Amino acid sequence: MGTPAPSGPLGYGDRLQLTGPKGRLNTITLVPGGEFHSHRGVIPHADMVGLPDASVVVNSSGEEYLLLRPLLSDFVMSMPRGAAIVYPKDAAQILSLADIFPGARVVEAGVGSGALSLHLLRGIGATGELFSFERRDEFADVARANVAAYSGAAPENWTLSVGDLQDTLPAVCPDGTVDRVVLDMLAPWECVDVAANALQPGGVLICYVATVTQLSRTAEQIRRSGLFTHPQSSETMVRGWHVEGLAVRPDHRMVAHTGFLITARRLAPNTVMPSLKRRASKGEFSDEDLATWLPDLAGEASGDEVWTPEAMGERPKSEKVLRKKVREARTLADERGAEAAAYGGDTDA
């Protein structure tokens, strides 16, 4: 088996989407001796090998299936997950708002299941460098296997470190050597200072958070640090449309809120950001007002007590489920021809 190819004739190790007569998607990996089974028939994997991408194949009962290689967005939506992923709509905005360019040196924390890592690796190209940081070994294992499964091997320009960003980033990236920092974590405000140290002047800090309380806390810390421009916040909503003949209307379902993005630029050393000139309003607030909304700023509760995954509405997965996801991700990598060494460790986790 060779490594998966992004285009050209289909081969063993390629990930495929099969679309049936009723529009149902089935995602498989072509392996020697494999078969795709449905309740209406069978398609040997060997019958699909060698066909051009976007071909149609017929199963044993005469039903037709469209074969397509998944796009990157399709792959990340179907790959094994140890943690919640950054959805493609937000990953696309991160690449744009942070101006991820070929050759950039980018820091990412945390990695989760590797979905954003794949998008960032696509953005920086072969000449860039991605430094990813993850606190949990299980999530790092899933991310390594998913990236290896998509790429065929662990990219040489990708470094994945396990540990707290505050402790590990200074040892991996010297001060002032990073172009972009992307924070996807529970409490990104805790890493504002270490991110500022790593960024060179003009570099971009972008944070992905799920709730308005996290958004507010992150924005206030960026302002209080005095190391960045005024933060800008946004969210992205995607609404599909049904377009068929004269029946043109919005879809009944849409991908609405998934998270907020907040961005700021690193100031040059010893630079003070000019104050914004605006009229006084009833919306002016004091530190006491802010502490009512964000208790840890007033010392009424520690960050560990207030900012927990459960308090933010996250549903943590059990160790048993995480071990299962690691096995699934490594199995996918093995099916696609990735070497075990590419995603680290043994396969008995």
Side-chain angles (χ1 to χ4, degrees):
M1 287 175 54
T3 57
S7 62
L10 303 177
Y12 290 122
D14 283 345
R15 194 78 165 158
L16 281 186
Q17 283 184 336
L18 283 73
T19 306
K22 295 184 179 180
R24 182 176 180 179
L25 287 176
N26 299 273
T27 304
I28 66 171
T29 301
L30 295 180
V31 296
E35 292 181 331
F36 167 69
H37 289 259
S38 71
H39 67 287
R40 297 294 297 274
V42 179
I43 306 174
H45 288 194
D47 290 355
M48 295 179 262
V49 172
L51 294 176
D53 202 351
S55 295
V56 173
V57 67
V58 180
N59 70 2
S60 58
S61 65
E63 286 189 332
E64 295 182 333
Y65 284 80
L66 174 64
L67 310 180
L68 283 170
R69 280 191 179 89
L71 303 176
L72 176 56
S73 58
D74 299 321
F75 181 87
V76 299
M77 293 300 292
S78 64
M79 69 187 190
R81 301 183 190 180
I85 66 169
V86 174
Y87 281 81
K89 72 181 184 71
D90 295 314
Q93 287 292 330
I94 289 172
L95 293 181
S96 176
L97 293 175
D99 189 24
I100 305 296
F101 58 90
R105 290 170 56 87
V106 179
V107 166
E108 172 204 17
V111 174
S113 300
L116 182 57
S117 303
L118 286 168
H119 284 91
L120 292 173
L121 287 166
R122 175 71 61 83
I124 65 176
T127 58
E129 291 184 271
L130 176 62
F131 304 93
S132 300
F133 298 84
E134 175 55 55
R135 297 178 63 181
R136 300 193 59 174
D137 288 311
E138 299 89 346
F139 291 168
D141 288 340
V142 173
R144 286 192 188 99
N146 282 332
V147 172
Y150 184 78
S151 307
E156 295 182 357
N157 60 342
W158 183 43
T159 302
L160 175 55
S161 304
V162 178
D164 289 330
L165 185 68
Q166 298 98 312
D167 300 329
T168 53
L169 178 57
V172 176
C173 299
D175 290 353
T177 61
V178 172
D179 298 303
R180 307 289 185 259
V181 174
V182 184
L183 301 181
D184 173 20
M185 55 176 60
L186 181 67
W189 53 86
E190 296 176 351
C191 301
V192 167
D193 290 339
V194 70
N197 292 337
L199 283 167
Q200 52 183 318
V204 178
L205 169 67
I206 183 164
C207 305
Y208 177 81
V209 294
T211 68
V212 292
T213 46
Q214 290 170 294
L215 177 69
S216 180
R217 184 67 176 86
T218 304
E220 291 308 318
Q221 183 58 41
I222 290 174
R223 291 192 182 97
R224 291 181 177 214
S225 73
L227 302 171
F228 292 90
T229 60
H230 297 297
Q232 303 292 320
S233 306
S234 65
E235 68 172 327
T236 303
M237 297 186 183
V238 175
R239 182 174 71 172
W241 280 70
H242 173 89
V243 181
E244 189 172 338
L246 297 180
V248 181
R249 55 170 174 73
D251 284 339
H252 294 305
R253 296 182 180 182
M254 67 175 291
V255 180
H257 175 75
T258 50
F260 299 102
L261 292 175
I262 180 168
T263 61
R265 303 285 297 275
R266 177 67 164 100
L267 294 173
N270 303 317
T271 298
V272 177
M273 185 69 183
S275 300
L276 291 176
K277 295 182 179 180
R278 54 189 178 187
R279 296 179 180 178
S281 69
K282 296 180 180 180
E284 294 295 327
F285 59 88
S286 65
D287 287 346
E288 290 74 16
D289 297 326
L290 190 61
T292 304
W293 171 246
L294 304 170
D296 62 315
L297 289 182
E300 298 177 7
S302 69
D304 293 339
E305 294 173 348
V306 176
W307 306 100
T308 63
E310 292 79 6
M312 295 298 101
E314 295 184 14
R315 296 181 179 179
K317 294 183 178 179
S318 67
E319 295 297 326
K320 180 179 179 181
V321 171
L322 287 176
R323 289 194 297 269
K324 178 183 177 182
K325 294 302 179 182
V326 171
R327 291 195 299 270
E328 290 178 356
R330 288 179 171 176
T331 298
L332 174 58
D334 290 338
E335 289 176 344
R336 304 205 74 196
E339 297 180 1
Y343 49 80
D346 56 71
T347 57
D348 297 327

